Amino acid sequence: MSAVVEIEGLRKTFHTLRRGRQVAVDGFDMVVEAGQVHGFLGPNGSGKTTTLRALLGLVRADEGRMAVLGERSPERLTRVAGRVGAIVESPQFFGNFTAHRTLGLLARAGGVPVARVDEVLAQVGLRGREHDRVRGYSLGMKQRLAVASALLKSPELLILDEPANGLDPAGIREMRDLMRSLADAGVTVLVSSHILAEIQLICDHVTIIARGRLVAAGRVTEVLANFDRHEVRVRADDPARAAELLRAAGLTVVDHPDHLVVGGVDDDTTVSRLLGEQGVWLRELTPLRPDLESVFLELTGTDSHPALPRQAGGPTEAMIDLDVSGVDA
Amino acid sequence: MNLVRAEWERLRARRFVQLMLILLVLAFGVTAATTLANSHRPTATELASAQREAADARRGLELAYEQCVAREQGRLSNEELGLDPYYTQNCADIDPGRMERLPVAADFLRGVFTFAQAALPLLYFLIAFLVLFGFLVGASYIGADLNSGGVVNLLLWRPNRTTVLGTKLGTLLGVVGVVSLLASAAYLGTFWLIGQAAGQPGAVDGEFWRSLAAVWGRGMVLVLLASALGFAAAALGRHTAAALGVIAAYAVVWELGARLVMLILDVPRHERFLLSSYLFAWLSGRMTNWDENACRGVGFGTTCDGSWYITQGPALVVLLGLTGAAVGAAFVVFRRRDLI
């Protein structure tokens, strides 16, 4: 696979009278390969949008090398602009223009056939409302319009900054389906989002940024695996005896009012066999797997609690310490 | 070409532009309707009476001049003319032959619109409106686009800042130029028709049209410069209000405040430091100023009027220089600016 986005050593500092010198991005690296649906995560102010804007030539980088579809950005961005669709944060549109007119103007400016306008309006679910003034649109509809504007060019690379902003649950699902269908059609998608569950569902790769620096990157499964502490939640008929037995077997046990969290469990059957042999009967044995949210919060230092591994597909149930010393933070 | 067309459509569809055009038509309509309602074709009697009054006025001027010359030559005394014994006058000032215009019949026709007489002030009004139109449309066009993210949207499609800003400015100047041309033709045409149908055309000879065309041409240059200046100020300040702020601040701080300070300090030829002087000089062709300091120490009886002029050449250089600098700065800043 070839890299469609390459960022190396990106650095950007803003100078303002009020807040002085602010390092927004500090030697950041990122690679997005062709065909990926790549999640770009980071807390507010971590440098996500600055990175995307620098990549698209909207912000001047102080240092670093960037390339889009093999062409240096921003110097040779014009060569590939027709193959890159992008929305950066929530773009504003003229309120008294209709969606159709807004897209029509962009299509003409970019030399795209105007017939494409109807196609993308249908693609983002705005058919039927395309002749309404944008002023009357909800935030979600404006977001769809923004995505439609990015899709107009039939891009090979789609860069979406917070595309789910303002969308209701149904809208988020539609957006997810849209991204998936685009990925299936061979479009490389780079998406930044705060909705981590969505990223986990749709992205195969992820890059996490915090305080302008790269903190994790790779396949979603690999990033999550690095944080798997092999924990299980245990409910037993005699919790005190169970805890004693498990500790004696060399496992870490954290007591909770109605359950135990047992760490260092490579094989779940170890717990059931150990307790069963001693006549302690299990009421529940649930593997706890870290999800992207807990990993994200831990890596970006935005968690108010220690890392919260989650039951796979379920809510947080336990609190344990995660050792992230191996991660470049 | 596609970008120009898209920009033209965006500009055309902007509410503010539409509102300004409606205001233009309204101002136009009200002026024309008022003129039409208050004018009538002069009767032969009115015309004859006005011509008599004009002839009398011209004779009066000639007589005053002749008496002044006679007084200068000692053929008549002040007492004989019923004047103060110490009264003096420079006869050249009242020489009818040196006057810009002499009284004509139209000056004495009441309730009659005379196109030849009213065309110039009407044209000045139109130019003033078009200057305001160009400045505000220019400022809001780029200001709103920078503020709303429209420019960012466009740059995602055409990541060439100079081209994008240049196309916007070019489209703006083109549209303002065409609107000004059409408005001028409609405006002057309407009043010419009013003069024909409900007033009188007056002396609309070749010289009149040449002179009117010259003022119109200079006015159109001013309209385009104002549009570019509004555009540049808003582009530099990232907001429409920036352009309005610059104008308001300049008017209050410099044109009023600094002018007052310079008058108090008796700064010689202070008009040369004020932009309004160059605007006036460019539009009217020449601005005459008086430098009181120039005649200090000059002996009694020596001719010294202390007048000095700003002519249209230097005025154009100043106006072009200012606008060029503002537009140049806007392009340089826009090329380097972080669009966040």
Side-chain angles (χ1 to χ4, degrees), chain B residues 317-339:
Chain B
V317 169
V318 169
L319 296 175
L320 273 178
L322 175 77
T323 310
V327 170
F331 271 83
V332 169
V333 169
F334 184 70
R335 270 179 63 84
R336 303 182 56 82
R337 170 175 285 166
D338 290 332
L339 295 169

Side-chain angles (χ1 to χ4, degrees), chain A residues 12 53 58 60 92 108, chain B residues 2 14 148 336 338-339:
Chain A
K12 175 65 187 176
R53 283 181 184 262
L58 301 173
R60 288 169 65 89
Q92 304 287 311
R108 282 189 199 97
Chain B
N2 285 329
R14 285 187 56 74
S148 70
R336 303 182 56 82
D338 290 332
L339 295 169

Side-chain angles (χ1 to χ4, degrees), chain B residues 135 222 225 229 246-247 250-251 254-256 258-259 262 270-283 287 310 314-323:
Chain B
F135 185 84
L222 210 54
L225 289 178
L229 197 62
V246 164
I247 287 297
Y250 172 76
W254 195 252
E255 284 288 340
L256 294 178
R259 181 193 295 265
M262 286 189 280
H270 67 270
E271 291 89 349
R272 65 197 152 135
F273 301 117
L274 300 168
L275 194 57
S276 56
S277 306
Y278 298 97
L279 278 174
F280 183 82
W282 169 247
L283 199 54
M287 184 186 184
I310 299 175
L316 182 61
V317 169
V318 169
L319 296 175
L320 273 178
L322 175 77
T323 310

Side-chain angles (χ1 to χ4, degrees), chain B residues 36-92:
Chain B
L36 192 60
N38 291 294
S39 180
H40 66 277
R41 280 187 77 85
T43 61
T45 317
E46 284 177 307
L47 211 52
S49 168
Q51 281 164 350
R52 263 198 314 277
E53 285 184 68
D56 288 348
R58 285 194 296 269
R59 266 197 302 277
L61 288 173
E62 280 161 15
L63 183 65
Y65 176 67
E66 282 163 11
Q67 286 176 341
C68 182
V69 172
R71 201 176 61 237
E72 264 187 1
Q73 293 171 348
R75 289 186 280 116
L76 278 174
S77 66
N78 279 359
E79 287 78 6
E80 283 174 293
L81 292 168
L83 296 170
D84 187 281
Y86 300 104
Y87 177 78
T88 59
Q89 181 163 33
N90 184 357
C91 295

Side-chain angles (χ1 to χ4, degrees), chain A residues 29-73:
Chain A
D29 302 325
M30 178 161 74
V31 176
V32 178
E33 304 280 355
Q36 287 181 354
V37 179
H38 195 108
F40 186 25
L41 308 181
N44 284 340
S46 60
K48 291 192 305 293
T49 298
T50 302
T51 301
L52 294 182
R53 283 181 184 262
L55 185 67
L56 294 165
L58 301 173
V59 161
R60 288 169 65 89
D62 299 330
E63 284 175 35
R65 196 191 72 86
M66 294 176 288
V68 178
L69 294 169
E71 297 290 349
R72 280 193 70 126
S73 177

Side-chain angles (χ1 to χ4, degrees), chain B residues 134-318:
Chain B
F135 185 84
L136 292 179
V137 168
S140 80
Y141 178 43
I142 185 69
D145 244 15
L146 279 169
N147 211 244
S148 70
V151 169
V152 168
N153 268 357
L154 211 53
L155 285 171
L156 292 175
W157 283 72
R158 289 286 185 98
N160 187 326
R161 295 188 182 202
T162 307
T163 304
V164 165
L165 198 68
T167 306
K168 277 188 174 292
L169 179 59
T171 308
L172 169 76
L173 295 181
V175 167
V176 170
V178 169
V179 166
S180 300
L181 187 71
L182 295 177
S184 306
Y187 188 74
L188 292 175
T190 302
F191 284 102
W192 185 81
L193 283 175
I194 291 173
Q196 293 288 334
Q200 63 163 10
V204 284
D205 53 9
E207 177 51 35
F208 165 82
W209 287 116
R210 267 193 298 279
S211 156
L212 198 69
V215 174
W216 179 82
R218 292 197 296 268
M220 290 306 103
V221 170
L222 210 54
V223 170
L224 295 180
L225 289 178
S227 308
L229 197 62
F231 181 90
L236 284 167
R238 297 178 188 235
H239 209 286
T240 309
L244 304 180
V246 164
I247 287 297
Y250 172 76
V252 173
V253 174
W254 195 252
E255 284 288 340
L256 294 178
R259 181 193 295 265
L260 197 63
V261 171
M262 286 189 280
L263 280 171
I264 291 168
L265 296 177
D266 218 6
V267 175
R269 301 189 179 194
H270 67 270
E271 291 89 349
R272 65 197 152 135
F273 301 117
L274 300 168
L275 194 57
S276 56
S277 306
Y278 298 97
L279 278 174
F280 183 82
W282 169 247
L283 199 54
S284 62
R286 188 172 85 159
M287 184 186 184
T288 307
N289 306 285
W290 283 269
D291 180 5
E292 290 174 7
N293 298 318
C295 294
R296 277 186 191 152
V298 174
F300 182 74
T302 310
T303 305
C304 174
D305 65 357
S307 59
W308 64 280
Y309 308 96
I310 299 175
T311 53
Q312 54 182 290
L316 182 61
V317 169
V318 169

